[in-house]
Amino acid sequence: MTQRRVFTAILLLSLSFGLSSCASGPPPTEAKFLYVALGASDATGVGAFPLTRGYVYLIRNSIEKFEPKLSLLNLGVPGERIGPIKETVRVAVLQVGLKPNLVTLWTGANDLIAGDDPQKFQADLRFILQNLRKSTPGLIVIANLPDLTKLPRFRDQPSAVVTIDRVRAFNKAIAQEAAAVNVPVVDLFEQPLADKLVSDLDGFHPNNEGHREIALLFLEVILPKLKGR
C-alpha cells in the first residue's frame, strides 16, 4: 500500500469515527459549529509554546465565546505541501462529507521553499477552494504568504528559490483562486515582518507573538462575517 493510500485510510477512519487526536470539542459529526483548519506546521502551532497558543487555537478560543458548541478539527501537518492538503480535502469533504462552518487555510510556504512551480500550486489550490465552495456551506478564509525573504532564516542563509518574485507569484495564484470563488484573503504580505514575531529557534516559524498577530488578522476577517450571519 502506498504512503498516500495509508494516509487516506487513516484519515477516513479518523473522520468517520471522530477519533482524530487533532480534534477538540464535540465529535465533528455532532458539533453545532465545526471549524476545520488546513495547513502545515504553523496550523499545528509550531513556534508557539505551548502549541495551543498557535494561531488556529487562538481563533478557536475567540469563536468559542459565542459558539460554545464548537469543535475544532485541526488537519494541519508539519511539512505539508499543497498536494497532500488537496488529498485531505478530497477525503474529508468529498468522501466523508464534512460540512464545516469555518475553514482556514494557510499554505504555499513549503511549496515555495521546495522550489515547486507556482502554476502547479495554483492548480491544486483551485481544486481545494472550488471543492470547498461547492461542498460546504460555511465561511472559507485563506491567508497569503508574507515576504519570506525577510525572515531571519533566509537573511542568514539565502536560497535561490526563496525570492521576492516567487513570493509574489505564489500570492498572485492565491489571490486569483480566492477571487474566483469569493474567498477572502488575509493579507500577510503587507504586514510588517519584524524579528520579534519570529521564533528564535529556527528563524522561520512565528513565535507566540507572531501566532497572536496572525490570529488577530484572521479574526478581523472572520468575526464580522460570522456575527453578521
Side-chain angles (χ1 to χ4, degrees), residues 107-185:
T107 185
N110 291 332
D111 308 77
L112 186 150
I113 293 166
D116 293 350
D117 183 356
Q119 292 183 342
K120 174 61 168 63
F121 170 83
Q122 183 165 358
D124 286 342
L125 182 61
R126 182 179 305 128
F127 175 94
I128 291 169
L129 293 180
Q130 289 187 355
N131 280 283
L132 284 172
R133 174 58 73 215
K134 291 175 184 176
S135 305
T136 64
L139 174 63
I140 305 162
V141 181
I142 187 171
N144 65 11
L145 300 182
D147 183 355
L148 302 181
T149 66
K150 293 181 179 178
L151 290 171
R153 171 176 166 181
F154 296 112
R155 293 204 313 265
D156 296 341
Q157 298 179 316
S159 167
V161 296
V162 181
T163 66
I164 187 60
D165 287 342
R166 278 176 52 79
V167 173
R168 292 185 187 277
F170 274 75
N171 280 346
K172 181 179 179 180
I174 292 169
Q176 289 178 340
E177 297 310 318
V181 289
N182 196 29
V183 166
V185 177

Side-chain angles (χ1 to χ4, degrees), residues 188-201:
L188 300 182
F189 183 78
E190 292 298 328
Q191 302 302 315
L193 190 55
D195 285 0
K196 67 178 183 178
L197 303 176
V198 183
S199 171
D200 291 334
L201 297 180

Side-chain angles (χ1 to χ4, degrees), residues 39-55:
S41 52
D42 304 280
T44 67
V46 170
F49 294 94
L51 294 177
T52 50
R53 294 181 70 180
Y55 81 90

